[in-house]
Amino acid sequence: MKFERYGTGIVKGMALTLKHLFRAPITVQYPDEKLNISRRTRGNELVWFPEKCTGCGTCTKACLQGNIILVTHRGEESKFIVDKFELDSGRCIFCGLCVESCPYNALAMGLSYECAKYSRKDLVLSKERLAVSNDHQPSAYYRPQFDDQLPDQSLLLYDRDKGGQKLKFLPLSKRKRGSGA
Amino acid sequence: MTVAVNTEETGKKIAEAIPGSVVSSEAGSLTVDSKSLAQVSEFLKNTPGLEFDYLTVLTAVDYLHYFEVVYRLVSLKNNQSLILKTRVYGRENPTVPSVTDTWRAAYYQEREIFDLLGIKFEGHPNLKRLLLWEGFNGHPLRRDYL
Amino acid sequence: MPIKTEQFYLNVGPQHPSTHGVFRLRLSLDGEVVTDVEPIIGYLHRGIEKLAESRTYTQIIPLTDRLDYLASMTDNVAYCLAVEKLAGIKIPERAEYIRVIFSELMRISSHMMAVGFYLNDCGAFFTPVLYMWREREKIIDLFDMVCGQRLLYNYMRVGGVSQDVPDEFLPAIKKFVAEMPRYIGEYNQLIKQNEIFLARSKGVGILPKETAVNIGASGPVLRASGVKWDIRKMDPYSIYDRFDFEVPTGEAGDCYDRYWVRIQEMTQSLRIIEQAINQIPAKGPICSEVPQFFRPPPGETYGYIEAPKGNLGFYIVSDGSIAPYRLHIYPPTLINITALKDMMIGWKVADLIIIFGSMDVVLGEIDR
Amino acid sequence: MTLLDQFQLILKTAGWPEWAVYLTPAIVGILIIIIFVLTVVIVFIWWERRLISRFQIRLGPNRCGPEGILQPIATAVKILLKEDIVPEKADKLIHFIAPIIVFVPILLIFAVVPFGEGAILVDLNVGIIYVIAISSISVIGIFMAAWGSGNKYSYISGMRSIAQMVSYEIPVVLSIVGIALVTGSFSMIKIVEAQSIPFILLQPLGFLIFFLGSLAEMNRSPFDLLEADSEIVAGYHIEYSGMKFAMFYLGEYGVALAYSGIITTLFLSGWQGPLLPPILWFIIKVMLVFSLIIWMRATLPRLRVDQLMSFAWKFLLPMAVINLVVVAVEVLVLPAGLQWVMVILNFGLAAVLILLWSKLFTLGGGRVEV
């Protein structure tokens, strides 16, 4: 191995790092600034629409973890009435196969991605927790009907373009410096 | 395009060179007797026109009354492939000759099969469990393992 | 009086910053010179092959995500191709193109990780990794846009892909393809001619051509040794015969060649993506009708693709039920590390790390 | 006359007893230096983390205090609160002493670093030789840490440290001799005062050798083989935690500060500079040198141990010897007023030598032979 370039390679590399010193940092400071996630995100907390669910159990068969517990009984006109619809989000792998398999659009993936809980019991989601609420919205994964309501994904690709799609940040809740959360 | 070689012709060639080695040569795969596997592999690697110098997948399937060890050979020179099979009977101590001398690609794959299916490869330089730990009881990929 | 010496054993791993996962190398050292190497694996064994025997064909797709977790998309493609081959399913034109685009994006992303961490192993303190992650994030954004997750995509389905790409996807990827060559140029400027890097990686860890073929190496490791063998070219699966691209090869088979082959492959992948964007049919079905619990005919098949790390194959035996009778995964990196002993003996500890780094090993795939 | 001498004089005239006249200024001076060094080290830690993250297009620590300036203090508190773990197989005494032996000599170096005009603890007439002698002691500390930990990674690190430190000492000393020839003194104050033209211009080759050598002495990239994160994890301080680790951590930045200060003193004309007060000039120059070191760390990969050794013995040492001879001849032949001629001559010489040696320098294919 001979040194034949007289150190020009090192100088080139150092010039590049120097150039990067004056570029904008790519860091997004997460709890303060939040990027918009994909509209199709397979997020935490499945959304379940009780009025659409017929209790057919396709989703339980589709789940490769065997994670969805569905208990029904026959009601009037021999329709299924769901007594229990439960899943343990600690065991869920967010593959989305249950949403894909549901023939009645009664299931959708959630939109949230902050899944930490203080105890394992909280991870088990019951019927009430799975229903739609203000902070529990469905994502457009396999459910294109929700697509329009959701904000555009912020793509890093369009970061510093002029006139293009800018980075969009979700509205900051009270920004506190140094609080970390 | 990697062409699968005509197994019947190849089977005939092998049968001529090593009598009694070919069990069947139906379309798609070539089944040889496990006892002559070492010779067959040498033959397949070194015969002009075949020259299977590149072993890709080596696996085994448990069909309950026998194990089938599958080799997929590729010739980089002639761009052709061959699926070679051999059967081994018995569940207690199934043994197949190792092909690591011919293709070192078999080194880890044979160890893995030994680990997960319990087929012994005679002549393997270092036949130890690969993925599971020493002293693990049983061979998980057998169909009767619960 | 003879000096009494004894063998110096060193365990590199299972927890070590440069083993790229839970991998263990048991070294015998003479000073700093490696005299013997014994790789010990299995720390990440999850029994995916056994799990697959009790899952339906669709349910196995999320499992394949967990093989090579830096290139989940190609794992999905390989598995789906194998099942389609087994069941004789034709997939729609548009789905084929989407698959090609995503495979190549995945290849770029995986090579970025490989090259970035290889340079990190050489001692460049995280700068190349972060520069490459900047672009990798953009690729992952595209994946996220289409399939809703950033690491374990679960996007391909038997018979096509799970969902059509959204409208903003094609403009975004066009922009990506347009700006990417500049960044590859930057990576080259950063380190390619750096004297220290050259001194560290040229001539180190040579894998001769004959050994590479004999141990069944594949992917960039095989090509760096000078064997022009790329399944996309030699045995085109899917629609790869429609694209014009080159297969970069190395000469010496050393660490530098493996690095350089990967960088060149990134450029070639961009070429393929560009052609695919131009040829992709505007509208059309993206998945052929396959029932959720479908039963392929009894038989067996071996489907294989050129994954970023090499020849990835799935050997599937079907007995006509909804679950495969046997699923075997042929992991390229497990085969590639057969050569570790040949490449490492006689080199120093520092070389050992970069030789291992240049192999681009992902333990999820080795241990399955 | 240094500031301390003046202080002594004041006390003497105030009629203090003789022992107090000598002791009080010394204690005050030592305290000031230790406080100054620790403060600057904390700033250095923050500066390195912020700057290297900007080289890597990140933000770096920015949560504690304005722009994250308090982050090193938070880190220090965290480190101090950690459990002090001593491995069972460690040589306990050596394991305990080693951090002290590493840290104390680094503080001792600052005794002869002139921070401003007269702002020096003691103006030794062998100042620079003292620096070389004292800084070599930390090698023993590092080796003790490596041995005492009883960890195989740290053994390797210890072996590397001995080889590296001993090899790089020689070119460093030889390049210093070149300066001593020009100034005619080893005293740090005299060296600074002699620099009407900074010695970086007068002796570019000497600067290069000294800079690279001191990079190796303070284990910074690309010579950070002792700590080689990706190879031997953290090298000699792999088994240290808590306060003992903090000593190594402070020592690492302390030695960086010390060598930046010495480079400033020897080659960048020390505290001298127009307009601004001397101490500010000194700090600015030290920061510049340290930023250059950070910049190199952000870009360069690491050398291998045999390449490191051949770089010292085959590249730096011959160049240092030639540099020394040339400077000696120049000092003899050229009259004192003609320093600008020397600048031109030496730049030409440096360029020719580097080109020539680049052609000749080989690393032997990277195989085992060193």
Side-chain angles (χ1 to χ4, degrees):
Chain A
M1 183 68 231
K2 251 184 170 176
F3 276 64
E4 282 171 345
R5 295 181 181 80
Y6 320 114
T8 47
I10 289 176
V11 173
K12 269 187 190 170
M14 306 248 318
L16 187 80
T17 38
L18 191 67
K19 212 160 84 188
H20 277 82
L21 187 59
F22 303 106
R23 288 190 185 173
I26 51 169
T27 315
V28 178
Q29 306 196 55
Y30 162 60
D32 292 345
E33 303 166 353
K34 286 178 182 173
L35 293 174
N36 278 1
I37 45 170
S38 158
R39 294 199 294 274
R40 287 181 183 176
T41 192
R42 300 208 296 266
N44 195 23
E45 309 210 339
L46 218 61
V47 180
W48 180 58
F49 301 95
E51 68 280 3
K52 287 183 191 160
C53 182
T54 60
C56 65
T58 318
C59 50
T60 58
K61 284 180 219 151
C63 180
L64 73 155
Q65 295 285 85
N67 196 14
I68 302 174
I69 300 164
L70 179 72
V71 180
T72 54
H73 71 270
R74 293 267 179 190
E76 51 197 76
E77 295 172 22
S78 67
K79 272 183 182 168
F80 286 117
I81 293 170
V82 180
D83 299 327
K84 189 178 178 188
F85 189 92
E86 201 174 277
L87 91 158
D88 182 352
S89 60
R91 290 184 57 187
C92 180
I93 61 168
F94 305 106
C95 60
L97 288 180
C98 50
V99 176
E100 222 173 297
S101 68
C102 184
Y104 304 104
N105 291 354
L107 270 177
M109 296 305 289
L111 205 58
S112 88
Y113 48 87
E114 288 157 330
C115 331
K117 297 279 190 323
Y118 279 103
S119 90
R120 271 176 194 279
K121 266 184 249 159
D122 297 346
L123 288 170
V124 181
L125 306 174
S126 59
K127 243 161 66 168
E128 293 74 34
R129 286 280 301 283
L130 290 167
V132 184
S133 70
N134 261 347
D135 53 350
H136 187 206
Q137 291 291 330
S139 86
Y141 182 77
Y142 253 86
R143 298 285 175 264
Q145 61 267 35
F146 301 126
D147 207 69
D148 301 334
Q149 309 158 14
L150 297 171
D152 277 348
Q153 185 187 354
S154 42
L155 291 172
L156 297 171
L157 203 57
Y158 294 106
D159 190 355
R160 252 164 284 122
D161 266 18
K162 278 174 195 145
Q165 185 188 359
K166 288 268 177 184
L167 272 185
K168 283 179 200 155
F169 296 114
L170 285 182
L172 300 182
S173 58
K174 246 182 171 177
R175 184 171 166 166
K176 279 187 218 152
R177 266 210 109 98
S179 65
Chain B
M1 210 59 193
T2 308
V3 192
V5 289
N6 190 331
T7 45
E8 281 171 24
E9 277 176 28
T10 320
K12 267 180 206 158
K13 267 192 205 170
I14 296 171
E16 274 170 30
I18 308 149
S21 62
V22 178
V23 176
S24 80
S25 58
E26 62 193 30
S29 66
L30 184 72
T31 310
V32 296
D33 188 13
S34 70
K35 289 188 192 76
S36 58
L37 187 69
Q39 289 157 293
V40 171
S41 63
E42 279 297 327
F43 179 81
L44 284 171
K45 191 183 179 188
N46 297 327
T47 312
L50 296 173
E51 287 163 298
F52 290 105
D53 48 358
Y54 189 72
L55 170 72
T56 61
V57 68
L58 194 175
T59 186
V61 188
D62 179 10
Y63 287 109
L64 289 173
H65 56 287
Y66 62 89
F67 291 99
E68 193 170 72
V69 186
V70 185
Y71 304 79
R72 182 173 178 272
L73 308 172
V74 176
S75 164
L76 296 188
K77 197 176 169 196
N78 306 328
N79 202 0
Q80 57 191 16
S81 69
L82 170 71
I83 289 182
L84 185 71
K85 288 180 178 176
T86 184
R87 286 181 182 179
V88 50
Y89 294 86
R91 300 194 74 76
E92 288 309 309
N93 197 14
T95 311
V96 181
S98 167
V99 295
T100 40
D101 290 342
T102 322
W103 302 287
R104 275 179 59 203
Y107 181 83
Y108 278 119
Q109 308 195 54
E110 283 182 351
R111 274 179 71 180
E112 187 196 329
I113 294 168
F114 168 72
D115 187 357
L116 300 176
L117 279 147
I119 300 174
K120 286 211 174 62
F121 287 88
E122 258 175 4
H124 190 284
N126 184 20
L127 197 64
K128 290 196 294 190
R129 279 188 181 270
L130 180 72
L131 299 172
L132 303 170
W133 58 96
E134 292 294 329
F136 184 87
N137 196 13
H139 302 285
L141 273 184
R142 288 190 176 183
R143 292 298 292 196
D144 53 2
Y145 180 89
L146 290 173
Chain C
M1 193 184 106
I3 300 169
K4 193 174 160 245
T5 59
E6 70 182 52
Q7 195 66 263
F8 188 80
Y9 293 107
L10 182 69
N11 270 310
V12 176
Q15 272 83 36
H16 187 280
S18 298
T19 49
H20 303 213
V22 277
F23 181 83
R24 181 170 149 211
L25 277 169
R26 194 165 171 274
L27 307 177
S28 307
L29 296 181
D30 174 17
E32 275 214 30
V33 182
V34 179
T35 54
D36 195 16
V37 182
E38 195 195 349
I40 297 164
I41 59 176
Y43 294 94
L44 206 63
H45 180 58
R46 293 147 297 174
I48 285 178
E49 290 176 7
K50 186 74 183 173
L51 283 174
E53 287 172 10
S54 54
R55 301 282 187 280
T56 67
Y57 283 92
T58 315
Q59 284 175 350
I60 292 168
I61 300 170
L63 292 182
T64 63
D65 279 338
R66 278 130 182 105
L67 289 174
D68 178 357
Y69 41 76
L70 297 181
S72 310
M73 206 62 103
T74 42
D75 292 353
N76 290 352
V77 172
Y79 171 74
C80 291
L81 273 175
V83 178
E84 281 151 14
K85 207 165 154 185
L86 180 69
I89 299 167
K90 279 260 175 290
I91 75 166
E93 188 88 350
R94 188 170 163 84
E96 293 269 26
Y97 278 101
I98 292 173
R99 278 187 180 184
V100 166
I101 291 172
F102 278 103
S103 305
E104 296 308 315
L105 279 178
M106 199 75 250
R107 192 182 313 277
I108 295 173
S109 154
S110 168
H111 282 351
M112 272 180 191
M113 288 290 279
V115 171
F117 278 101
Y118 166 63
L119 296 173
N120 205 27
D121 289 347
C122 287
F125 181 77
F126 274 103
T127 312
V129 180
L130 280 158
Y131 289 0
M132 286 177 184
W133 267 4
R134 181 184 51 191
E135 273 69 61
R136 184 173 175 269
E137 281 296 310
K138 292 171 186 170
I139 296 177
I140 287 178
D141 263 0
L142 296 175
F143 288 150
D144 192 13
M145 176 201 287
V146 174
C147 59
Q149 227 161 63
R150 295 164 59 82
L151 188 68
L152 305 164
Y153 308 115
N154 185 21
Y155 181 55
M156 304 299 165
R157 291 288 179 277
V158 178
V161 296
S162 72
Q163 301 171 81
D164 203 350
V165 295
D167 296 336
E168 65 257 42
F169 176 75
L170 277 180
I173 193 168
K174 270 178 195 156
K175 182 165 161 36
F176 175 78
V177 172
E179 72 176 28
M180 193 55 203
R182 200 187 106 221
Y183 288 118
I184 292 179
E186 277 191 359
Y187 306 152
N188 291 344
Q189 192 196 340
L190 177 66
I191 206 99
K192 190 197 157 203
Q193 295 173 336
N194 190 307
E195 281 79 2
I196 299 174
F197 171 66
L198 291 178
R200 280 301 298 279
S201 59
K202 272 214 167 174
V204 173
I206 292 172
L207 180 63
K209 204 170 172 174
E210 295 74 34
T211 320
V213 172
N214 196 16
I215 66 147
S218 54
V221 177
L222 179 70
R223 289 193 283 278
S225 295
V227 184
K228 202 165 186 161
W229 182 263
D230 187 324
I231 297 168
R232 290 176 294 169
K233 204 79 172 174
M234 306 308 287
D235 186 11
Y237 55 92
S238 187
I239 50 164
Y240 272 103
D241 45 354
R242 298 183 198 173
F243 302 115
D244 172 34
F245 64 99
E246 278 152 29
V247 180
T249 52
E251 287 156 10
D254 52 12
C255 290
Y256 178 80
D257 277 350
R258 285 191 278 277
Y259 151 82
W260 185 228
V261 161
R262 290 202 177 98
I263 294 273
Q264 284 171 301
E265 272 185 20
M266 277 154 70
T267 319
Q268 297 303 329
S269 290
L270 283 176
R271 267 177 75 187
I272 298 176
I273 295 172
E274 207 169 2
Q275 294 167 46
I277 298 169
N278 292 336
Q279 294 173 17
I280 187 167
K283 276 275 171 286
I286 43 105
C287 196
S288 44
E289 287 288 318
V290 177
Q292 194 192 352
F293 301 107
F294 82 109
R295 295 160 193 272
E300 58 183 60
T301 189
Y302 177 63
Y304 51 95
I305 64 158
E306 180 74 27
K309 308 210 163 40
N311 175 358
L312 174 72
F314 283 83
Y315 180 77
I316 302 174
V317 180
S318 158
D319 59 352
S321 68
I322 57 171
Y325 183 80
R326 169 97 165 91
L327 175 89
H328 176 75
I329 302 151
Y330 173 75
T333 42
L334 175 68
I335 313 303
N336 287 351
I337 64 165
T338 314
L340 279 187
K341 206 167 175 174
D342 304 53
M343 290 154 79
M344 282 176 178
I345 286 178
W347 296 94
K348 293 192 160 48
V349 177
D351 294 319
L352 172 139
I353 299 294
I354 69 162
I355 292 168
F356 188 69
S358 74
M359 301 294 282
D360 187 12
V361 167
V362 167
L363 268 297
E365 194 174 63
I366 290 184
D367 292 346
R368 281 156 293 153
Chain D
M1 193 168 225
T2 65
L3 293 178
L4 278 184
D5 293 341
Q6 291 168 12
F7 192 22
Q8 271 182 7
L9 210 63
I10 293 168
L11 292 185
K12 214 177 221 168
T13 46
W16 285 41
E18 196 171 351
W19 58 270
V21 166
Y22 284 103
L23 214 55
T24 318
I27 289 171
V28 169
I30 288 167
L31 280 180
I32 288 175
I33 290 234
I34 287 179
I35 290 166
F36 176 78
V37 166
L38 291 183
T39 321
V40 176
V41 160
I42 280 174
V43 173
F44 262 36
I45 294 172
W46 170 80
W47 179 241
E48 159 142 39
R49 292 181 65 180
R50 287 290 282 184
L51 192 67
I52 204 161
S53 59
R54 290 314 307 277
F55 277 123
Q56 297 171 344
I57 49 174
R58 303 185 276 126
L59 276 173
N62 63 349
R63 288 305 161 118
C64 301
E67 294 301 308
I69 186 86
L70 298 180
Q71 185 66 47
I73 294 170
T75 312
V77 170
K78 182 206 76 174
I79 286 177
L80 294 186
L81 289 177
K82 286 213 166 181
E83 188 189 351
D84 179 31
I85 299 165
V86 181
E88 199 188 346
K89 290 278 167 66
D91 196 333
K92 305 253 173 1
L93 182 68
I94 294 179
H95 186 265
F96 179 76
I97 297 174
I100 303 167
I101 295 188
V102 171
F103 188 62
V104 170
I106 290 162
L107 279 181
L108 288 179
I109 295 177
F110 291 99
V112 295
V113 176
F115 297 98
E117 193 156 16
I120 184 169
L121 203 59
V122 50
D123 183 19
L124 285 180
N125 57 356
V126 289
I128 189 67
I129 300 291
Y130 167 84
V131 170
I132 298 298
I134 286 291
S135 67
S136 305
I137 293 177
S138 345
V139 184
I140 299 169
I142 289 175
F143 188 67
M144 281 167 74
W147 177 262
S149 299
N151 185 304
K152 288 181 178 177
Y153 287 113
S154 64
Y155 286 167
I156 296 175
S157 166
M159 292 304 167
R160 285 180 179 184
S161 94
I162 294 288
Q164 178 176 337
M165 299 294 189
V166 170
S167 317
Y168 276 84
E169 209 95 293
I170 298 164
V172 163
V173 171
L174 285 178
S175 63
I176 288 171
V177 175
I179 291 167
L181 279 176
V182 178
T183 52
S185 167
F186 282 124
S187 153
M188 299 292 249
I189 298 256
K190 294 245 172 62
I191 289 174
V192 175
E193 281 165 353
Q195 295 184 57
S196 54
I197 304 167
F199 281 161
I200 185 173
L201 298 177
L202 208 61
Q203 294 195 16
L205 201 57
F207 171 74
L208 199 70
I209 293 163
F210 189 86
F211 182 66
L212 292 176
S214 58
L215 276 183
E217 295 269 304
M218 58 182 147
N219 318 325
R220 304 291 300 200
S221 179
F223 306 108
D224 57 344
L225 285 106
L226 303 199
E227 286 153 41
D229 223 23
S230 58
E231 296 156 19
I232 50 174
V233 195
Y236 56 91
H237 52 65
I238 188 169
E239 292 289 2
Y240 281 91
S241 64
M243 186 69 201
K244 291 178 196 161
F245 176 74
M247 297 274 256
F248 282 119
Y249 197 63
L250 286 179
E252 195 184 322
Y253 285 91
V255 76
L257 171 61
Y259 270 99
S260 304
I262 292 164
I263 290 170
T264 309
T265 311
L266 295 186
F267 292 99
L268 300 175
S269 71
W271 69 80
Q272 293 180 351
L275 298 176
L276 296 173
I279 181 79
L280 215 56
W281 268 114
F282 184 81
I283 289 175
I284 288 172
K285 284 172 183 171
V286 164
M287 281 314 234
L288 276 180
V289 173
F290 189 60
S291 304
L292 178 63
I293 294 168
I294 296 170
W295 184 16
M296 291 181 81
R297 182 173 179 219
T299 316
L300 298 180
R302 187 184 305 124
L303 282 168
R304 197 173 54 209
V305 63
D306 59 324
Q307 293 165 348
L308 180 94
M309 301 302 279
S310 36
F311 188 68
W313 291 102
K314 293 186 191 168
F315 192 85
L316 290 183
L317 185 63
M319 294 238 284
V321 172
I322 293 173
N323 183 49
L324 179 61
V325 172
V326 170
V327 170
V329 171
E330 281 172 345
V331 169
L332 256 180
V333 175
L334 288 175
L338 279 178
Q339 279 195 329
W340 282 109
V341 180
M342 214 163 145
V343 171
I344 296 161
L345 267 180
N346 278 347
F347 262 98
L349 180 83
V352 170
L353 270 184
I354 290 172
L355 287 186
L356 205 66
W357 238 263
S358 308
K359 281 281 178 207
L360 292 175
F361 182 58
T362 60
L363 286 173
R367 266 277 158 183
V368 182
E369 75 263 16
V370 175

